[in-house]
């Protein structure tokens, strides 16, 4: 099982413009099929969102990427959880697209960058 836990809030990117929305793209690069859970939890508001989906490796030009659009981000920190049931290392490719209130892309975080933020 793989688990990624990251604290998300509007100043995550430390830009002059606060982040209000994010899109999360998840692609599976293993050989099997895998279940993936994406959820957000706030200490004061409880569960903010929950997505559970089944994905598999790409098969002949058929994309298996899952994109979760318009997840809201506030000034209050919340915990983003991405969990899969595969024991293979490096089986997910994750990208987080951070956007402003007007939809302007402020930055794109790769899995590697998210791990550096978590450290």
């Amino acid at each position: 099982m793989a688990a990624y836990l990251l604290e998300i809030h509007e100043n995550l990117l430390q830009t002059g413009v606060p982040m209000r929305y994010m899109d999360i793209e998840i692609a599976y690069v293993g050989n099997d099929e895998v279940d993936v859970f994406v959820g957000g939890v706030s200490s004061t508001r409880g569960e903010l969102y929950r997505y559970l989906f089944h994905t598999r490796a790409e098969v002949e030009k058929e994309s298996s990427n899952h994109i979760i659009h318009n997840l809201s981000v506030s000034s209050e920190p919340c915990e983003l959880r991405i969990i899969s049931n595969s024991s293979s290392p490096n089986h997910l490719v994750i990208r987080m697209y951070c956007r402003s209130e007007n939809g302007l892309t402020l930055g794109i975080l790769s899995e590697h960058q998210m791990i550096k933020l978590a450290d």
Side-chain angles (χ1 to χ4, degrees), residues 21-26 34-41 47-55 66-72 80-84:
Y21 301 100
M22 63 182 170
D23 298 337
I24 298 176
E25 179 180 17
I26 298 176
V34 67
D35 295 316
V36 178
F37 169 81
V38 177
V41 178
E47 187 173 71
L48 302 173
Y49 39 83
R50 176 192 324 179
Y51 297 90
L52 180 64
F53 54 89
H54 186 79
T55 189
H66 287 269
I67 302 174
I68 303 168
H69 293 282
N70 298 323
L71 297 177
S72 63
L80 173 67
R81 300 173 181 173
I82 302 173
I83 303 168
S84 76

Side-chain angles (χ1 to χ4, degrees), residues 1-60:
M1 174 171 18
Y4 301 90
L5 305 174
L6 184 66
E7 186 175 83
I8 302 295
H9 52 83
E10 68 181 10
N11 294 319
L12 177 70
L13 298 179
Q14 300 176 357
T15 61
V17 179
M19 178 173 74
R20 294 289 184 221
Y21 301 100
M22 63 182 170
D23 298 337
I24 298 176
E25 179 180 17
I26 298 176
Y28 179 64
V29 293
N31 295 324
D32 302 329
E33 297 180 354
V34 67
D35 295 316
V36 178
F37 169 81
V38 177
V41 178
S42 166
S43 60
T44 59
R45 297 185 293 166
E47 187 173 71
L48 302 173
Y49 39 83
R50 176 192 324 179
Y51 297 90
L52 180 64
F53 54 89
H54 186 79
T55 189
R56 58 190 167 78
E58 290 187 21
V59 180
E60 295 185 25

